[in-house]
Amino acid sequence: MDEDDLTPGPEEAPEQDEPEPDAPARPTGGPAALDEPPGPVNWNLLGAEEAEEAWLELNRWVDWLRHEFGLPAAVIPPYWHRHPELVWELSALHVHWLCAYDPQQNGSAPIGWLRDFAESRQRLRDWVAASGTRLDRDRPTRQTVWPGEEQSEPIEDTAITDRDADFVNFVVSDVARREQIEEDIYARLNPETGELT
């Protein structure tokens, strides 16, 4: 056998500069996947633009979640956005979901998310029950007044007639509040030193 017989011919040689195959398409139908998993969302520190984006993304995901898992209003009520305890829980659950289902994640990560989701549903039920928000009515979460604090105004239920309109109004108001805070900070900023006055 000749040595030349073992050397592949030009038609058999692998191409050195072949392009990498295209990455598989991301699944459609659920929430959009991100280029990389996000970090936690600290709602206290978001600027106006970041908050608007975070509210809209969280709202889309919560809507998907309640439909995908058939969650009742006792777990996710229509006015969840008006109750910080629900916002923090749902936001953390959302980030956890994004990380667990990231294509680069370990294959067992989704089962961890599902386990944590079961615990989270119980906490959501507890907070919904304590807050008093329901499918057809809402009230602000009751706050315990400590000795020496001023008594709060009586809390009354309001009817829920158009959830989507309320969400939009809530986000517009929250973004405006954050913009005002940013403007107040910039007004106090010394342009020469960069320090607050």
Side-chain angles (χ1 to χ4, degrees):
M1 189 173 222
D2 194 331
E3 225 177 272
D4 291 336
D5 293 339
L6 299 175
T7 308
E11 67 280 354
E12 297 172 10
E15 297 234 359
Q16 298 298 323
D17 294 331
E18 275 187 32
E20 292 291 321
D22 290 338
R26 297 198 185 240
T28 59
L34 302 175
D35 291 335
E36 61 184 51
V41 176
N42 185 339
W43 291 91
N44 293 329
L45 300 180
L46 295 180
E49 195 173 305
E50 295 168 314
E52 181 176 14
E53 186 178 318
W55 278 122
L56 297 176
E57 183 180 340
L58 182 58
N59 188 56
R60 278 190 298 271
W61 184 79
V62 168
D63 195 52
W64 170 83
L65 182 72
R66 75 182 185 88
H67 283 99
E68 191 74 6
F69 290 92
L71 300 174
V75 176
I76 301 180
Y79 275 19
W80 61 264
H81 55 281
R82 291 196 169 273
H83 297 271
E85 64 275 30
L86 302 178
V87 171
W88 287 97
E89 181 78 27
L90 291 166
S91 180
L93 195 59
H94 176 223
V95 171
H96 187 12
W97 182 87
L98 288 169
C99 293
Y101 286 91
D102 182 82
Q104 301 301 314
Q105 185 56 268
N106 182 296
S108 62
I111 200 69
W113 182 85
L114 290 166
R115 180 193 59 242
D116 294 341
F117 179 41
E119 293 175 17
S120 183
R121 286 195 312 272
Q122 185 56 53
R123 285 192 301 271
L124 287 164
R125 283 182 191 280
D126 293 345
W127 283 324
V128 169
S131 72
T133 188
R134 303 283 182 263
L135 179 61
D136 60 346
R137 64 190 186 284
D138 183 67
R139 68 171 182 243
T141 301
R142 294 182 196 271
Q143 300 293 319
T144 302
V145 179
W146 286 359
E149 291 181 339
E150 288 186 31
Q151 293 294 321
S152 57
E153 296 292 320
I155 296 175
E156 296 184 19
D157 288 359
T158 56
I160 296 176
T161 56
D162 188 340
R163 188 270 171 197
D164 290 338
D166 184 81
F167 179 78
V168 169
N169 290 334
F170 176 85
V171 171
V172 167
S173 175
D174 183 64
V175 168
R177 178 184 64 82
R178 292 172 192 269
E179 286 173 342
Q180 186 60 56
I181 291 169
E182 291 170 0
E183 287 176 19
D184 292 347
I185 289 172
Y186 288 129
R188 295 178 42 217
L189 195 63
N190 182 328
E192 293 175 12
T193 64
E195 296 177 354
L196 291 175
T197 59

